[in-house]
Amino acid sequence: MIPFNKPCNIGTEHEAIKQAMNQQKLAGNGPFAEKCSQWMEARLGCEKAILTPSCTAALEMTALLAEIGEGDEVIMPSYTFVSTANAFVLRGADIRFVDVTPGTMNIDPDQTANAITSRTKAIVVVHYAGVSCDMDRIMELAEKHHLWVIEDAAQALMSSYRGKPLGSIGHMGTFSFHETKNYTCGEGGALLVNDPSLIERAEILQEKGTDRSQFLKGVVDKYTWRDIGSSFLLSELNAAYLSVQLDHAEKINANRIRSWNNYQKGLQELFDQEMLEGPHIPEDCEHNAHMFYIKTKDGQERSRLIAYLKEQGVMAVPHYVPLHSSDAGKRFGSFIGEDRWTTVESERILRLPLYYGLTEKDVDHGITAIHKYFQK
Ligand SMILES: *Cc1c(COP(=O)(O)O)cnc(C)c1O
């Protein structure tokens, strides 16, 4: 069976973990965390990058930093992971779900504009499959209405929009290093703070509401309780594992892109014959091959294709159930405007196996199986 995902492993992670053990510093913000932060700050050109236990935790930090409270409205796509919404629901916000554009499954800027009210505080964009949202339109809207822009870039490390790395465009950006993402340490994440006025508070929130990070830099001689906060730190053991993956980021990216391009080439004929639809990458976007998805005619055909591929030894999986149709989504938010694409398109999406080290032979096997299904 070709699995849908295999956690990325370069092969030398255990040496870095051993080194972390020898340095006698295992808590957060140690030397390996510092190395990962510096890598992100240099590679992404952001003001400040801090490691968190997950993207979920980083999103919770953005809600605290944006001072979202009871009755505030936050706009986001319904087609996303629960954490995008949960982070703001935890602060008492009303979630305003809007439609996506079908080509990218990213938030529709027109629907976003339509959902803005005097209570709107933030727009949360999700770069689905590592392909950028229309950031020029979103930033323009945010500036006009004085809103925060938070990029849920969980899937988008190493992707860019008009040459700008994703995660570094809005006021804040978040990444995930969960085992299903391109770069991993099992569970982990990062917060990019692009607005310099938020950096000091971000460091305090991360360290349980204390100024411990200033203490470690020698700026203050003891650390004290300064603000609300939590333990938003990543263990050094995880940071050590992650540091190896970031050191090999170009190699991992190239390997994934090769598989992605092979899928695209191998299925092009079926896209041309309109048996299936393939992913759409807008001209301004450079993507990171986080995901290769196809769209079947409808949900029933998707179920049949999943079953057939399983018989052929290929694990293909659907993705999000739109949040506005879930129990919690109905309780904590509402859909604004027409659900023209979110529900129908979400029922057609099927993700194919894609991970670092996936062989060309396995990609070919998947492509052949899909062709065989449509010849039947
Ligand atoms: C994976 C993912 C998350 C959650 O990441 P964790 O690190 O598991 O918390 C959030 N948003 C999106 C869009 C994701 O793909």
Side-chain angles (χ1 to χ4, degrees):
M1 193 72 162
I2 303 167
F4 170 68
N5 179 58
K6 276 190 198 173
C8 181
N9 188 261
I10 290 296
T12 51
E13 287 85 350
H14 61 286
E15 286 165 27
I17 289 174
K18 212 158 156 195
Q19 209 181 318
M21 290 164 75
N22 290 337
Q23 78 196 4
Q24 310 279 330
K25 270 190 191 303
L26 298 181
N29 286 341
F32 277 105
E34 186 59 26
K35 188 179 171 212
C36 293
S37 291
Q38 281 173 5
W39 184 93
M40 282 187 268
E41 285 159 15
R43 183 70 177 67
L44 308 171
C46 65
E47 290 287 330
K48 184 80 199 163
I50 62 180
L51 293 187
T52 58
S54 61
C55 183
T56 300
L59 286 162
E60 288 174 17
M61 287 187 76
T62 68
L64 290 168
L65 287 165
E67 298 183 83
I68 303 295
E70 208 70 43
D72 290 340
E73 293 176 359
V74 177
I75 300 170
M76 65 182 66
S78 171
Y79 189 68
T80 183
F81 188 59
V82 291
S83 297
T84 319
N86 247 331
F88 301 90
V89 171
L90 280 167
R91 306 262 67 80
D94 291 331
I95 308 298
R96 315 289 273 176
F97 295 115
V98 298
D99 210 4
V100 290
T101 49
T104 57
M105 299 304 284
N106 283 334
I107 195 165
D108 181 328
D110 292 325
Q111 293 305 318
T112 305
N114 177 50
I116 295 172
T117 72
S118 58
R119 294 203 298 153
T120 307
K121 274 286 197 71
I123 303 169
V124 188
V125 300
V126 180
H127 303 300
Y128 186 67
V131 179
S132 182
C133 299
D134 186 344
M135 290 310 289
D136 280 355
R137 297 267 328 268
I138 296 292
M139 295 310 289
E140 202 181 296
L141 272 177
E143 227 163 276
K144 188 169 154 205
H145 297 275
H146 308 288
L147 308 175
W148 294 105
V149 173
I150 295 150
E151 295 178 77
D152 181 343
Q155 306 173 9
L157 184 54
M158 299 284 282
S159 295
S160 61
Y161 172 77
R162 303 203 164 165
K164 276 206 74 144
L166 300 191
S168 75
I169 301 169
H171 301 97
M172 294 174 262
T174 63
F175 289 123
S176 173
F177 303 117
H178 185 262
E179 70 170 18
T180 51
K181 303 304 200 287
N182 293 23
Y183 310 93
T184 186
C185 56
E187 299 273 2
L191 170 68
L192 299 195
V193 188
N194 305 319
D195 181 332
S197 72
L198 298 173
I199 294 174
E200 193 185 332
R201 187 153 188 253
E203 290 181 331
I204 289 171
L205 294 179
Q206 186 200 22
E207 288 272 14
K208 299 95 170 170
T210 74
D211 50 8
R212 182 169 175 271
S213 74
Q214 298 222 306
F215 168 72
L216 293 176
K217 286 178 206 152
V219 180
V220 293
D221 62 2
K222 57 181 182 308
Y223 68 88
T224 60
W225 190 16
R226 296 274 306 276
D227 202 337
I228 56 168
S230 191
S231 182
F232 288 122
L233 297 133
L234 186 72
S235 155
E236 259 307 82
L237 297 174
N238 289 51
Y241 190 106
L242 179 64
S243 72
V244 175
Q245 308 232 323
L246 298 182
D247 280 342
H248 293 83
E250 300 293 343
K251 180 174 152 184
I252 294 168
N253 196 48
N255 183 275
R256 296 186 73 108
I257 297 269
R258 195 193 57 186
S259 295
W260 197 99
N261 288 340
N262 285 343
Y263 274 129
Q264 171 80 29
K265 238 185 294 155
L267 296 170
Q268 189 62 51
E269 199 186 323
L270 295 173
F271 300 155
D272 293 342
Q273 294 166 353
E274 293 178 15
M275 303 291 238
L276 283 175
E277 220 178 287
H280 171 71
I281 312 290
E283 230 175 85
D284 298 332
C285 302
E286 202 176 320
H287 74 105
N288 62 354
H290 172 63
M291 187 192 298
F292 193 92
Y293 66 79
I294 51 180
K295 285 182 180 171
T296 55
K297 189 175 79 222
D298 53 27
Q300 282 177 338
E301 177 146 275
R302 180 174 72 174
S303 301
R304 287 194 297 269
L305 183 54
I306 289 171
Y308 181 77
L309 290 176
K310 203 167 175 188
E311 272 172 38
Q312 300 292 312
V314 180
M315 195 67 193
V317 297
H319 212 184
Y320 308 129
V321 174
L323 295 184
H324 77 280
S325 59
S326 67
D327 283 348
K330 284 181 193 144
R331 200 141 35 103
F332 301 122
S334 40
F335 199 96
I336 308 301
E338 189 196 344
D339 174 9
R340 173 131 187 247
W341 302 110
T342 300
T343 300
V344 281
E345 296 299 288
S346 72
E347 289 169 356
R348 301 173 60 205
I349 282 194
L350 185 57
R351 297 177 292 160
L352 304 180
L354 182 53
Y355 46 84
Y356 173 73
L358 175 64
T359 65
E360 280 187 49
K361 188 169 143 274
D362 283 351
V363 173
D364 284 344
H365 179 72
I367 292 167
T368 305
I370 294 169
H371 277 277
K372 272 202 278 186
Y373 172 87
F374 284 101
Q375 277 155 16
K376 277 197 313 172

